Amino acid sequence: MLRLAVCAALASHACSPAQAPRAMAIGKVTAIGGVIGLIATAVSTRYVSTTEEMLIGFSLVSGLGIVTYAWGELSAEPVVKRETLPERHHRWAKILTERAAGAAREGRCARVRRLEGKVRMYDAEVHDFVFMRDPEILRCLEETAVPSPTPDVPPQVEPAPITP
């Protein structure tokens, strides 16, 4: 038993980032196998008189699997997904659309007009299908596009020159 613990400790320190995926797979299978063994032991208690050794054995197998998986997880290189330029522009367009919607609801139409050009530049689809379909943004953009109505004042007509 002591030999097994020493071997496990030595093996766990030898795990490199290249070996980490394999260690995680082995740890996962071992932990699940130990749990299945524990379940089988619990079921067989009616039929077998000595189950204590089986419980201890499967508990150790499951624990060793968990430790192996954890060590592999800690030894693995972190997975960093690089964002492409179109993905970044799409994300920025969505963020700016949310900011424009907030500004429109607060009545800050000048900010909405500024953000509208940026959203169109970053992602035309987000501009056309999200930005331009928000009713508050449209209301804000229409207020600035339509001149304010002037009171009905008759146009000033200059008098025609009088000729003799």
Side-chain angles (χ1 to χ4, degrees), residues 111-122:
R111 179 168 171 81
V112 173
R113 284 191 304 277
R114 283 194 317 270
L115 291 174
E116 193 251 342
K118 291 180 182 181
V119 171
R120 186 183 317 117
M121 178 186 68
Y122 283 132

Side-chain angles (χ1 to χ4, degrees), residues 75-92:
S75 299
E77 293 179 356
V79 178
V80 178
K81 182 182 177 287
R82 300 287 311 206
E83 185 178 43
T84 64
L85 193 59
E87 290 172 340
R88 184 181 318 157
H89 285 177
H90 181 76
R91 181 173 53 87
W92 286 352

Side-chain angles (χ1 to χ4, degrees), residues 47-103:
Y47 309 107
V48 180
S49 61
T50 58
T51 57
E52 187 175 318
E53 294 85 13
M54 291 181 1
L55 283 174
I56 292 171
F58 285 124
S59 296
L60 289 174
V61 168
S62 183
L64 183 64
I66 292 169
V67 168
T68 304
Y69 182 85
W71 194 265
E73 180 75 27
L74 291 173
S75 299
E77 293 179 356
V79 178
V80 178
K81 182 182 177 287
R82 300 287 311 206
E83 185 178 43
T84 64
L85 193 59
E87 290 172 340
R88 184 181 318 157
H89 285 177
H90 181 76
R91 181 173 53 87
W92 286 352
K94 287 184 354 184
I95 290 170
L96 291 178
T97 299
E98 291 172 6
R99 290 182 182 176

Side-chain angles (χ1 to χ4, degrees), residues 8 33 46 60 67-68 72 74-75 106 108 118 127 136 141-142:
R46 286 187 173 187
L60 289 174
V67 168
T68 304
L74 291 173
S75 299
E106 293 173 1
R108 298 184 305 171
K118 291 180 182 181
H127 176 267
E136 292 293 323
L141 291 176
E142 288 171 357

